[in-house]
Amino acid sequence: MNKKTSLTAAAIAAVGCILSLIAGCGGISAGTSSMDNSSSIQAGKAAEGGTLTIGLDREVQTLDIASSITTQQPLLILSTAVYEPLMKPGAAGSVEPDMAQSLISNDNASQWTLKLRDGLKFSDGSSLKSQQVVDHVKRLADPETKSSAMAQAALISNMETPDDLTVVFTLKTPNADFPSQLVRQLGMIESTTARDDFGFPIGAGPYKVTGFTAGSEVTLARNDNYWGDKPKLDKVVYKMVPDADSRYQSLKSGDLDLMWTEVASQFQDAASNQDLTTVTAPASMSMIMLNTKDPALQDVKVRKALARAIDRNALNKAVNLGEGKIVDNPYALLTSVAPKDSGYPEYDLEAAKKVLDGKDIKLKLSCENRADTVQRATALKDMLGKAGVDVTVNPVESVNYTATIMKGDYQMADFMTSILSDPSGASYLFLSKGPYNFTGYKNGAVDKAISNAMTKSDLKSRADDFSTVSKELAKDLPVLWTTAMNSGFIMNKKVVGFPDISKNTLIQVQVGQLALAQN
């Protein structure tokens, strides 16, 4: 007998649901509008109209959701404005309906029934119904699309459309975390039949694209066919300013109204500036991936010694100014279900020296060529150097970094990610056949525990599986854990309607909620 008890989004918030969604607990249903907000950071009466200018931290060459760059955490404030997702992240790893009305599972999370809101339309006025959802997923699954979401689409064995508002997803294997896949690419529905003037598939979000210069600027205008509350802003302009210092200076000078950053010193400086407001969450996990196929890193004793040589508290103070969170497992952001003792090696420089000193170990640590990541890599180089390891820092241009890791063209790689904002991230990174298992890690106990967790509705038994995964990772050490970084936005005082994201593990802000304060 299938359990299909549906919980409202408000009820989930009230009980502080920890996981994305628990199989067998039914599902979740939405309220009346995606613009609902429990609290705003800056109060004030919103003006009708106006232009909001936002600074992005990277260059964008395409807005097509098939590209992974559009759904990286810093760019969600852009992509969700055009392609509003079916589901959206809530507090502590939970997931709530957005364009979806509800999402309900069977007993073991092998089948999920999606109900769409009535009246959804793409920006050209054409209907967005169940068949358009299916067509979108099929496009992402098609190898010719070269979509970075092929791995997520591959979770699905069959899709049925009993009516215009219903999609039934049958999965190849049970997956209690399937709702989280509808927060990003799978759930950001693009039209497969209509494109805008710039060649991008049109979406159904509160805004549509009216200007695009690759690597420089994107302009959005209000979408009059939007299903939800009418956005206040007439226009949103996104400027691509990869250099963090330049971006922050542009904000302070008034050229930007709002900017993304992961730089701790900027958050601290802005907190003391009466004209600025900061909004952050510890939503970016940082780790050092180890290429376990590399001869210098195949010995687990060496990997354990490397872990012992890293003083994570000192690293947090140096790079995050003490405001980050020390992490030691892939579930660390999920509060009450996070393992309390993963068995990860504690800092012990003398023990590390006994293993590493005198072995003439030379390692290359790759990182993105950004000031904050190079700073972290340099601090790690110094720590490992004290243990007798000769480390060379290898900065790689950001546009090439993901490809470098995917090809396995590294020994050690600084990896900061939002993929661990919900439990599914561990399956992508650490399953033997995980699509993002860049380290080449294989462990039967980890595979079994992750697979078991995907079928379970009981929170405690699922937490036990999380503990098993974490302890096995701490024993085998395919990655060296460091910290969870504060990420988020800094804005000037005229921006109103910005939601409280402090309890979120994924920062996804709908720009349609924002407005400029009345003078």
Side-chain angles (χ1 to χ4, degrees):
M1 179 176 178
N2 290 348
K3 296 181 182 180
K4 293 188 177 179
T5 306
S6 182
L7 302 177
T8 65
I12 285 181
V15 299
C17 180
I18 298 302
L19 300 177
S20 300
L21 231 171
I22 303 300
C25 291
I28 44 182
S29 299
T32 58
S33 171
S34 73
M35 309 300 262
D36 292 341
N37 236 346
S38 58
S39 62
S40 294
I41 296 301
Q42 291 180 174
K45 193 167 184 180
E48 290 288 342
T51 299
L52 182 72
T53 305
I54 299 174
L56 303 178
D57 75 333
R58 59 202 67 195
E59 296 178 350
V60 181
Q61 303 299 326
T62 179
L63 298 180
D64 189 346
I65 290 304
S67 168
S68 63
I69 192 171
T70 55
T71 51
Q72 292 173 6
Q73 186 171 225
L75 295 181
L76 292 176
I77 196 169
L78 166 59
S79 58
T80 59
V82 180
Y83 309 105
E84 184 165 351
L86 295 170
M87 307 295 287
K88 62 183 178 182
S94 63
V95 173
E96 304 168 358
D98 195 336
M99 286 206 310
Q101 180 65 33
S102 63
L103 184 63
I104 299 171
S105 76
N106 64 355
D107 279 349
N108 71 346
S110 62
Q111 189 174 84
W112 292 85
T113 300
L114 172 79
K115 288 287 185 180
L116 293 172
R117 296 176 187 270
D118 197 7
L120 295 177
K121 294 181 179 180
F122 290 109
S123 59
D124 66 351
S126 60
S127 295
L128 194 171
K129 296 185 177 179
S130 54
Q131 187 59 50
Q132 281 68 50
V133 173
V134 171
D135 291 344
H136 166 75
V137 175
K138 286 182 176 179
R139 175 178 179 259
L140 295 183
D142 185 348
E144 290 190 7
T145 304
K146 298 180 180 179
S147 164
S148 60
M150 285 182 62
Q152 288 87 343
L155 298 170
I156 303 166
S157 64
N158 189 50
M159 294 179 284
E160 298 178 355
T161 55
D163 56 58
D164 283 346
L165 300 180
T166 306
V167 181
V168 179
F169 297 96
T170 300
L171 308 184
K172 292 179 180 177
T173 57
N175 188 352
D177 299 316
F178 180 68
S180 65
Q181 309 312 316
L182 302 183
V183 169
R184 301 205 215 190
Q185 285 167 295
L186 283 191
M188 293 180 175
I189 310 302
E190 294 179 316
S191 171
T192 58
T193 59
R195 291 180 176 257
D196 61 25
D197 293 340
F198 307 94
F200 305 126
I202 62 172
Y207 291 92
K208 60 184 179 180
V209 183
T210 56
F212 179 80
T213 302
S216 178
E217 188 170 298
V218 183
T219 301
L220 308 182
R222 188 187 293 121
N223 172 19
D224 293 331
N225 292 306
Y226 180 56
W227 68 270
D229 295 340
K230 177 183 175 182
K232 298 286 187 184
L233 297 163
D234 291 326
K235 189 164 64 172
V236 185
V237 176
Y238 298 84
K239 294 186 177 181
M240 305 171 202
V241 190
D243 182 74
D245 289 337
S246 298
R247 197 163 61 251
Y248 187 46
Q249 291 305 316
S250 294
L251 178 72
K252 292 201 290 186
S253 69
D255 290 338
L256 300 175
D257 300 311
L258 174 70
M259 62 168 274
W260 171 272
T261 189
E262 295 161 354
V263 181
S265 60
Q266 291 181 349
F267 288 129
Q268 288 198 349
D269 183 78
S272 64
N273 187 324
Q274 63 181 3
D275 296 323
L276 300 175
T277 298
T278 65
V279 188
T280 67
S284 296
M285 292 264 279
S286 174
M287 70 192 80
I288 303 301
M289 294 195 303
L290 304 179
N291 190 336
T292 57
K293 296 178 181 179
D294 190 282
L297 294 168
Q298 287 181 341
D299 187 347
V300 71
K301 292 180 181 178
V302 169
R303 300 200 296 269
K304 186 174 183 179
L306 293 174
R308 283 179 163 168
I310 296 174
D311 185 344
R312 288 173 292 155
N313 285 302
L315 187 67
N316 186 38
K317 291 177 182 177
V319 180
N320 307 329
L321 301 181
E323 295 188 0
K325 174 182 177 182
I326 306 302
V327 296
D328 61 11
N329 69 83
Y331 309 104
L333 297 180
L334 303 181
T335 59
S336 66
V337 294
K340 292 181 173 57
D341 180 16
S342 71
Y344 187 79
E346 295 293 333
Y347 172 62
D348 189 337
L349 182 58
E350 293 307 313
K353 283 182 177 180
K354 288 180 181 179
V355 175
L356 301 171
D357 200 16
K359 287 197 172 183
D360 194 30
I361 297 176
K362 293 181 173 63
L363 296 172
K364 182 183 291 185
L365 172 56
S366 298
C367 66
E368 286 191 69
N369 190 18
R370 298 192 340 234
D372 55 326
T373 51
V374 172
Q375 180 191 16
R376 181 167 56 250
T378 301
L380 289 164
K381 165 187 166 70
D382 293 342
M383 289 179 183
L384 294 173
K386 292 177 181 178
V389 180
D390 183 2
V391 176
T392 301
V393 175
N394 176 40
V396 179
E397 291 297 328
S398 295
V399 293
N400 301 320
Y401 193 62
T402 299
T404 297
I405 294 173
M406 290 180 69
K407 290 187 296 185
D409 187 18
Y410 71 93
Q411 282 186 298
M412 301 193 300
D414 177 87
F415 190 60
M416 187 165 64
T417 181
S418 61
I419 198 174
L420 296 171
S421 61
D422 65 76
S424 66
S427 66
Y428 290 121
L429 292 174
F430 301 117
L431 274 177
S432 296
K433 296 184 179 180
Y436 309 139
N437 183 357
F438 304 130
T439 63
Y441 179 61
K442 293 182 179 181
N443 182 313
V446 168
D447 290 349
K448 181 179 179 180
I450 289 176
S451 298
N452 284 343
M454 287 181 173
T455 69
K456 292 184 177 179
S457 61
D458 179 72
L459 187 61
K460 184 179 184 302
S461 63
R462 201 166 194 225
D464 288 345
D465 287 320
F466 295 163
S467 179
T468 297
V469 172
S470 300
K471 288 180 178 179
E472 290 297 314
L473 291 174
K475 181 181 70 176
D476 297 336
L477 296 163
V479 299
L480 308 177
W481 298 104
T482 56
T483 62
M485 315 278 290
N486 272 343
S487 302
F489 296 91
I490 305 175
M491 70 197 81
N492 60 40
K493 294 292 186 181
K494 67 180 181 180
V495 180
V496 297
F498 204 100
D500 182 359
I501 59 170
S502 59
K503 294 182 174 59
N504 284 31
T505 56
L506 178 67
I507 301 174
Q508 187 188 87
V509 174
Q510 177 50 267
V511 75
Q513 298 175 325
L514 308 185
L516 299 175
Q518 286 187 358
N519 293 328

